[in-house]
Amino acid sequence: MSVSALTLMTLGFLFFLGLIADLIGRNTPVPRVSALIVFGILIGPAGFNLLPVSIGHWMPIVSDIALASIGFLLGNSFNVSEIRKSGKAVLSISLFVAISTAVGVAGGLWLFGCSLPVALIYGGIAPATDPASTVDVIRESKVEGEFPDTLLKITAIDDAWGLIVFSLMFAAAQIEMLDGGGLHTLLGGISEIFVSVFIGVVLGVPMSFLTGRIQSGEPSLVEGLGMVFICSGFALWLDASYLLSAMVMGAVVANVARHHDRPFCAVEGVEWPLLVVFFIFAGVSVQLEYFLQHLLLIVLYILLRISGRFIGAYFGGLFAGKSIAFSGWMGMSLMPQAGIALGMALTAANRFEEFQSVVSVIAMATVFFEIAGPVCTRFALNKVKSLVPVKKGS
């Protein structure tokens, strides 16, 4: 059988799994994202190993496309007029959550016997989230109002804080190991953030004026995906964060494109097929042999990260004047963690041999957070309807 035939049949099979996951999400408490990851585990090397070897060649590309599209759509959450309504809560909760998660994980693992540099790396990775699954669960739940709007904005800004925190703690870990490259790493992290923002702004401005011009008020899928691909490609070429660049480009479009109200609708139409493949691949990449080797460390990391999310959301919400219920459910909603965290772990492992085990621990922890996290988010969204003024969408 030719490679093309095998690839097409595999994609068709994966899309049918997406259809089954969608049915599960509509008729059970299990979010479709969690179902897709479980499907990936079952058909991957950790399960029945049903997929062809060639899948490894295009799996990273599909993952990058899906995350870049999600980043662009998240940029819509940074509409200035909307941020003015909930800006204090968004900044307060997101910053408190990022700091408490990083400090809690690093400090807790250090107290339990991890070396300080390794504990700092785990602390730097812990604030990273998974915007893709969070956005999908919010849309799937069809809950509207202040809570999901605030959650979307926090999810959008979380990874920006995550990049900053990881750069700082990675630099601190290098200084502790007497490598002498800590300042260089810190400057490199800051430079990556600025380059990412610059790419997003430079490409976002012309897109704002071009989108919706071919068909009045209706952006086409070609122009939407074209700009997302160009933006993420430039970011990868310049070793910047393509997720942050796409997010900034989306934010620029949301605030500058005033000639029509639907600049994001075209990309939204193709989002779900990409996410189907993305989340199945996340399950396929699971390697269960690492689980028993690092079981205690995985459990400690998971418990400390969960505690950090709740504590940060509680005090961040308190500072912003939100109710205890609002803050508590927000903490539960911020549990998902995925590919960005694994990318940070690989960055550390490629720099120092001492950090090789971090990749295995983070990989297994992200499997837990990718399955349990969306369930927590959906549960919180359903519960919060009776506690804050929200309404059920159609």
Side-chain angles (χ1 to χ4, degrees), residues 9-71:
M9 290 173 66
T10 301
L11 279 173
F13 173 63
L14 297 183
F15 287 146
F16 270 107
L17 288 180
L19 179 62
I20 296 172
D22 194 48
L23 292 173
I24 292 174
R26 292 174 185 272
N27 298 287
T28 73
V30 179
R32 55 188 181 181
V33 170
S34 300
L36 287 172
I37 294 172
V38 172
F39 287 157
I41 293 173
L42 291 175
I43 66 175
F48 297 102
N49 201 20
L50 302 177
L51 296 176
V53 177
S54 60
I55 194 175
H57 299 302
W58 43 276
M59 185 161 57
I61 299 175
V62 173
S63 298
D64 289 344
I65 292 172
L67 277 177
S69 301
I70 285 294

Side-chain angles (χ1 to χ4, degrees), residues 8 47 53 65-67 72 105 118 137 143-145 198 206 234 256 274 276 290 314 335 341 343 348 350 353 364 374:
L8 290 173
V53 177
I65 292 172
L67 277 177
F72 176 68
V105 171
V118 172
V137 172
V143 176
E144 298 177 355
F198 178 76
F234 267 113
V256 177
L274 291 173
V276 167
Y290 291 134
Y314 173 78
M335 293 301 164
N350 291 336
E353 187 177 344
M364 293 309 303

Side-chain angles (χ1 to χ4, degrees), residues 95-115:
L95 189 55
F96 271 80
V97 167
I99 294 173
S100 66
T101 304
V103 173
V105 171
L109 291 179
W110 181 59
L111 290 175
F112 275 103
C114 277
S115 67

Side-chain angles (χ1 to χ4, degrees), residues 89 92-93 96-97 146-147 150-151 154 306-335 380 384 387-388:
S92 174
I93 294 175
F96 271 80
V97 167
E146 181 189 9
F147 187 89
T150 303
L151 176 58
I154 291 174
I306 290 173
S307 301
R309 309 306 271 179
F310 274 112
I311 293 171
Y314 173 78
F315 285 103
L318 196 66
F319 183 80
K322 297 298 180 182
S323 68
I324 294 176
F326 185 99
S327 303
W329 293 123
M330 186 61 70
M332 178 174 280
S333 300
L334 293 170
M335 293 301 164
V384 82
L387 298 171
V388 294

Side-chain angles (χ1 to χ4, degrees), residues 103-289:
V103 173
V105 171
L109 291 179
W110 181 59
L111 290 175
F112 275 103
C114 277
S115 67
L116 184 56
V118 172
L120 287 169
I121 293 300
Y122 281 117
I125 294 171
T129 59
D130 178 20
S133 62
T134 305
V135 170
D136 187 70
V137 172
I138 291 172
R139 288 181 180 158
E140 184 185 21
S141 70
K142 299 187 185 301
V143 176
E144 298 177 355
E146 181 189 9
F147 187 89
D149 288 348
T150 303
L151 176 58
L152 271 175
K153 295 179 177 68
I154 291 174
T155 301
I157 201 173
D158 249 0
D159 284 314
W161 293 132
L163 286 170
I164 296 170
V165 170
F166 178 73
S167 298
L168 292 172
M169 299 192 89
F170 190 22
Q174 287 194 89
I175 293 171
E176 176 65 22
M177 295 173 71
L178 302 177
D179 180 77
L183 180 60
H184 174 74
T185 301
L186 176 60
L187 293 176
I190 295 173
S191 173
E192 177 183 344
I193 294 168
F194 277 109
V195 171
S196 302
V197 172
F198 178 76
I199 293 171
V201 171
V202 167
L203 293 178
V205 171
M207 183 181 182
S208 301
F209 291 101
L210 292 175
T211 180
R213 300 291 186 185
I214 298 175
Q215 299 177 26
S216 180
E218 290 291 336
S220 69
L221 181 60
V222 172
E223 68 186 61
L225 285 182
M227 290 301 293
V228 170
F229 289 1
I230 290 172
C231 179
S232 54
F234 267 113
L236 287 170
W237 180 41
L238 297 174
D239 292 324
S241 169
Y242 65 88
L243 179 66
L244 185 57
S245 291
M247 196 181 301
V248 171
M249 184 174 72
V252 172
V253 172
N255 288 281
V256 177
R258 300 297 185 186
H259 54 283
H260 67 94
D261 299 323
R262 304 178 64 202
F264 297 87
C265 65
V267 178
E268 288 173 354
V270 77
E271 176 192 12
W272 176 235
L274 291 173
L275 290 181
V276 167
V277 181
F278 174 77
F279 286 116
I280 290 177
F281 283 170
V284 169
S285 63
V286 171
Q287 300 182 50
L288 292 181
E289 62 267 24

